[in-house]
Amino acid sequence: MAFNIATMLPFFLSFVFLYFIIANGGCELEQKKMFKVQMLQRNHQFGSKGCILPESRKEKGAIVLEMKDRGYCSERKINWNRKLQKQLIFDDLRVRSMQNRIRAKVSGHNSSEQSSEIQIPLASGINLETLNYIVTIGLGNQNMTVIIDTGSDLTWVQCDPCMSCYSQQGPVFNPSNSSSYNSLLCNSSTCQNLQFTTGNTEACESNNPSSCNHTVSYGDGSFTDGELGVEHLSFGGISVSNFVFGCGRNNKGLFGGVSGIMGLGRSNLSMISQTNTTFGGVFSYCLPTTDSGASGSLVIGNESSLFKNLTPIAYTSMVSNPQLSNFYVLNLTGIDVGGVAIQDTSFGNGGILIDSGTVITRLAPSLYNALKAEFLKQFSGYPIAPALSILDTCFNLTGIEEVSIPTLSMHFENNVDLNVDAVGILYMPKDGSQVCLALASLSDENDMAIIGNYQQRNQRVIYDAKQSKIGFAREDCSFI
Ligand SMILES: *[C@@H]1O[C@H](CO)[C@@H](O)[C@H](O)[C@H]1NC(C)=O
Ligand SMILES: *[C@@H]1O[C@H](CO)[C@@H](O)[C@H](O)[C@H]1NC(C)=O
Ligand SMILES: *[C@@H]1O[C@H](CO)[C@@H](O)[C@H](O)[C@H]1NC(C)=O
Ligand SMILES: *[C@@H]1O[C@H](CO)[C@@H](O)[C@H](O)[C@H]1NC(C)=O
Ligand SMILES: *[C@@H]1O[C@H](CO)[C@@H](O)[C@H](O)[C@H]1NC(C)=O
Ligand SMILES: *[C@@H]1O[C@H](CO)[C@@H](O)[C@H](O)[C@H]1NC(C)=O
Ligand SMILES: *[C@@H]1O[C@H](CO)[C@@H](O)[C@H](O)[C@H]1NC(C)=O
Ligand SMILES: *[C@@H]1O[C@H](CO)[C@@H](O)[C@H](O)[C@H]1NC(C)=O
Ligand SMILES: *[C@@H]1O[C@H](CO)[C@@H](O)[C@H](O)[C@H]1NC(C)=O
Ligand SMILES: *[C@@H]1O[C@H](CO)[C@@H](O)[C@H](O)[C@H]1NC(C)=O
């Protein structure tokens, strides 16, 4: 009796398959997710309805604020094709200037090429075009919409009377309308702290001892100058008195109609440090996609019962690095693509910074290349398209409705996984003809890796500054 090859083939194949699994340690099954290509397409529009986000509340001692893409505040209709193409260029500038600043801090030297970056005082070489997410806060009796930024510390808004203000939606903050506003004097410890923490050495340069001046210059030519003040900060019905912020009298830049910036960095000037007696030094966000109408939430306080997380929260320890004490740094211990572990000697060594204002995750060249090779192996059969700015792994998916995308998972110390959502793996600026892997290589093996906001979408990311740990859980972002 002869074996029928057709009926035996499945057995034979499953044997080969089993052998493959065993040979790979028994746990490496390729994982993919079906995904509709059109879901990557941006919902055009916006057209402003004013710039105040109405949703906020207090619950169980925490504050929940609605968060949206800042296109919500734009006075003009946004051309998404242009915006997204430009965004990658600005993202590159942002990361370059962050790397310069980090190199300078780590080496403790000023090289001539870096000196212009070192002048950037409070902001970490931030590029405003890459800061996407906004919330509305109360300052005194006025509501202000600000961009959130974990990469800087000082919160500031435009202030009347303005020497020069960019156009914003709604009225500019007016200290003289508020009985709770006070400007900070040069001899205050906060002013000395500002100078120490941020290198704002000119804060009190003139002989006029009155106000403590702040200066923030962003990498893209934007800046704010003004003086430090204190005011009641309120959100969701809670008020925190003596909140220190910058009252910006001379401001220029592409802030897109918002009032200013909320600094959520790690130094003691940041909003989260200043409110730590009320909220325990913990905040979290869920970054939505930038589609019109999509909302996420910023939660201030450590109240995990409010989250709509779909997986349990897992916390990983921050790496303590005194030279990078303003940044949130994690210990990356591995990356899987489609369930296959990428091999790289850098895992567990140094760190990776997590940032709300960098768009695309950056990895060291050797790691990026290994990851890219594995991705190309698994995401094969699609025509290759030209590179798009910093993204060099692109495909022409014209006419293709659905694709299977290999899953992407980053591992951190304490067995914590960040399973990147399908909307964070591919980047599609205009149509299916140029869809790119949404990760990029750093230019130098020794540069600092960064987890960008594109890969953080649809995750609850919890920053516990007090216990120096970061939590991750899957969540479909909405106002919770
Ligand atoms: C860096 O440059 C600044 C201004 O040029 C100078 O004040 C400072 O001492 C320099 N720091 C080091 C470590 O060389
Ligand atoms: C500010 O927002 C709060 C909460 O939405 C609202 O109750 C209050 O009336 C607003 N104040 C102003 C001056 O618009
Ligand atoms: C602040 O006061 C000025 C007059 O002093 C008034 O014109 C302006 O509308 C007030 N602004 C707000 C936000 O109340
Ligand atoms: C700062 O200076 C002001 C006026 O010059 C004075 O009233 C105040 O007591 C001083 N504060 C401190 C902490 O020295
Ligand atoms: C702060 O800046 C203002 C405006 O530029 C200036 O008039 C004032 O003297 C500065 N104050 C200090 C203490 O340097
Ligand atoms: C709050 O932050 C300040 C400044 O970083 C720090 O000195 C203080 O100990 C913190 N307080 C609490 C309760 O964590
Ligand atoms: C903030 O930090 C600076 C520098 O680390 C320190 O000198 C200052 O005392 C701190 N201020 C507070 C209020 O903890
Ligand atoms: C925040 O909550 C988490 C989980 O309940 C807990 O592990 C952590 O210690 C809390 N952090 C603070 C600063 O209370
Ligand atoms: C990162 O985590 C690994 C695994 O737990 C550990 O061996 C290593 O020492 C950690 N590295 C740093 C810089 O904390
Ligand atoms: C993408 O593929 C489509 C269909 O195969 C083709 O018509 C188009 O020219 C390609 N576009 C680019 C930019 O290569």
Side-chain angles (χ1 to χ4, degrees), residues 356-372:
S356 70
T358 297
V359 180
I360 298 293
T361 292
R362 302 299 205 288
L363 301 170
S366 60
L367 174 53
Y368 175 73
N369 287 330
L371 189 157
K372 171 183 166 176

Side-chain angles (χ1 to χ4, degrees), residues 108-110 118-119:
H109 292 303
N110 300 345
I118 292 163
Q119 310 277 316

Side-chain angles (χ1 to χ4, degrees), residues 285-306:
Y285 56 58
C286 192
L287 304 177
T289 62
T290 47
D291 281 343
S292 64
S295 282
S297 58
L298 176 69
V299 175
I300 304 164
N302 197 25
E303 195 46 66
S304 53
S305 65
L306 301 178

